[in-house]
Amino acid sequence: MAKVVAELKYSAEHEWVAADGSGPANIGISAVAAEALGDIVYVDLPEVGSTVTAGETCGEVESTKSVSDLYAPVTGEVVEINDDVVSDPALINNDPYGAGWLFKVAVAEEGPLLSAEEYAAANGGEL
């Protein structure tokens, strides 16, 4: 069963948000999504300086099985992308909550987010 990290918030579309209010929020995709996708081979992330809007597509994640849209869980300006994930997308499979983070956003507004407990209950994840 895929791990769900208790300290994070999650979107219904399987993105996670790590925000403590002191700076930009880290965004990634959950282990549940990474396992469902299989071997991730390509990511298309939003550009630094662009604005993402909660609930709207902002990129793609491609695996050997399928291509999935990446949805912004928050609204704000993209301030950094993870170049390591762009050059080695397998990091998402290996460490979705650590080295496999995708981008950072200066958050203006959160979208509708789930607690770890709510996300795990809805998606079969394990806290």
Side-chain angles (χ1 to χ4, degrees):
M1 191 174 284
K3 181 168 175 50
V4 175
V5 176
E7 300 79 34
L8 303 176
K9 294 181 182 176
Y10 298 83
S11 71
E13 293 82 19
H14 307 290
E15 287 78 22
W16 57 260
V17 180
D20 61 10
S22 67
N26 275 20
I27 311 293
I29 63 168
S30 71
V32 172
E35 283 186 15
L37 284 166
D39 294 332
I40 297 171
V41 296
Y42 176 77
V43 292
D44 177 33
L45 300 177
E47 291 185 23
V48 171
S50 66
T51 299
V52 294
T53 302
E56 294 188 6
T57 59
C58 62
E60 289 182 340
V61 178
E62 183 177 334
S63 72
T64 54
K65 293 181 185 177
S66 67
V67 176
S68 294
D69 285 330
L70 185 62
Y71 292 88
V74 297
T75 298
E77 181 183 344
V78 176
V79 296
E80 185 180 347
I81 64 166
N82 186 348
D83 290 321
D84 292 340
V85 161
V86 173
S87 60
D88 184 10
L91 286 171
I92 299 168
N93 294 109
N94 298 333
D95 190 8
Y97 301 113
W101 66 274
L102 301 178
F103 57 97
K104 294 183 181 183
V105 176
V107 178
E109 184 178 342
E110 287 187 349
L113 298 174
L114 306 171
S115 70
E117 292 80 10
E118 292 167 329
Y119 181 79
N123 296 286
E126 177 179 53
L127 285 171

